[in-house]
């Protein structure tokens, strides 16, 4: 009855997640529920036929969007330049590395190293790294580009300092880096990433509701597809394990590669 009521307003993925959570809690309490998996799958199949399963996807944050955003985040025109330096570095790093917002919030200063080619970030653990082995992601330097993540991170580190702790620190309203009771720098959380994306997008005149923290990751994959980067290379860079999932991040860019509909209407 509970799942049936939820189906009126919630997505199929939410129903599956809620069911799994209820089963796990009951199992831990020693009072498992006698759910029939075949019956539940039949219930979901009926919902798919009536409601459809088209995924709800946020828009990709692309190069043209980032160029407009960087103008808005000019640190030389801000009363709190540290915040803008951090936000610029966070956005450009998220885009160039195709990072999830949880990965951006979780980076520590020790996860970053610079090389002759650019920089390397160590992802300690991610959604597709169930064994928590960690992976390294390289980002090349493009010094002449206003979207160079290496340049932006270097500028942020000069303002942040070399105190151990989170790479992207929390900043209070006065523009000061905040500390916890044990004297460590405080990290941003995943909501900070999402709010930042929405705030800067609103400043460019686009609909903020169409974007989220995930727009950075989608932007990397979509931009790679537009530039003709092979899917396998983009998957390796973004740490995707499943090709079908990775293709879903390309936000329509691949629809126009090799598309022939214009030729159907062209005069001979």
């Amino acid at each position: 009855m509970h799942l049936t009521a939820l189906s009126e307003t919630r997505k199929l993925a939410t129903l599956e997640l809620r069911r799994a959570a209820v089963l796990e809690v009951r199992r831990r309490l020693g009072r498992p529920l006698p759910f029939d998996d075949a019956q539940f799958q039949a219930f979901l199949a009926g919902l798919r036929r009536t409601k459809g399963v088209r995924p709800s996807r946020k828009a990709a944050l692309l190069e043209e969007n980032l160029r407009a955003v960087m103008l808005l985040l000019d640190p030389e025109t801000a009363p709190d330049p540290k915040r803008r330096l951090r936000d610029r570095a966070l956005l450009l790093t998220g885009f160039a590395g195709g990072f999830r917002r949880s990965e951006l919030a979780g980076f520590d200063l020790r996860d970053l190293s610079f090389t002759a080619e650019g920089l390397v970030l160590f992802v300690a653990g991610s959604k597709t790294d169930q064994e928590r082995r960690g992976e390294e992601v390289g980002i090349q330097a493009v010094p002449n580009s206003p979207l160079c993540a290496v340049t932006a991170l270097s500028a942020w580190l000069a303002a942040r300092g070399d105190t151990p702790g989170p790479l992207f620190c929390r900043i209070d309203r006065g523009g000061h880096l905040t500390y916890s009771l044990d004297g460590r720098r405080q990290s941003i959380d995943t909501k900070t990433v999402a709010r930042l994306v929405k705030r800067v997008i609103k400043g460019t005149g686009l609909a903020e509701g169409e974007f989220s923290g995930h727009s950075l990751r989608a932007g990397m994959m979509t931009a790679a597809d537009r530039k003709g980067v092979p899917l396998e290379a983009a998957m390796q860079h973004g740490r995707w394990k499943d090709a079908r999932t990775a293709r879903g991040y390309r936000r329509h860019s691949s629809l126009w590669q090799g598309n022939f509909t214009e030729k159907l209407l062209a005069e001979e």
Side-chain angles (χ1 to χ4, degrees), residues 245-262:
T245 302
R247 290 191 189 98
Y249 281 78
R250 298 193 295 190
R251 300 300 190 269
H252 304 306
S253 58
S254 59
L255 294 178
W256 312 114
Q257 293 184 6
N259 193 293
F260 58 84
T261 50
E262 183 182 10

Side-chain angles (χ1 to χ4, degrees), residues 155-167:
W156 160 237
L157 289 178
R160 179 199 178 281
D162 57 2
T163 302
L167 176 60

Side-chain angles (χ1 to χ4, degrees), residues 82 85-87 89-90 93-94 99 103-114 119-122 139 149 152-171 177 184-188:
K82 281 187 179 180
L85 288 170
R86 183 202 66 184
D87 292 350
L90 191 153
T93 301
F99 293 116
E103 294 168 344
L104 289 167
F107 280 133
D108 193 273
L109 184 62
R110 63 188 175 185
D111 296 326
L112 171 67
S113 60
F114 289 92
L119 62 84
V120 176
L121 276 164
F122 178 73
I139 298 178
L153 261 174
S154 297
W156 160 237
L157 289 178
R160 179 199 178 281
D162 57 2
T163 302
L167 176 60
F168 296 113
C169 311
R170 187 175 297 177
I171 300 175
L177 303 180
R184 281 179 54 85
R185 293 268 174 85
Q186 289 184 307
S187 173
I188 61 171

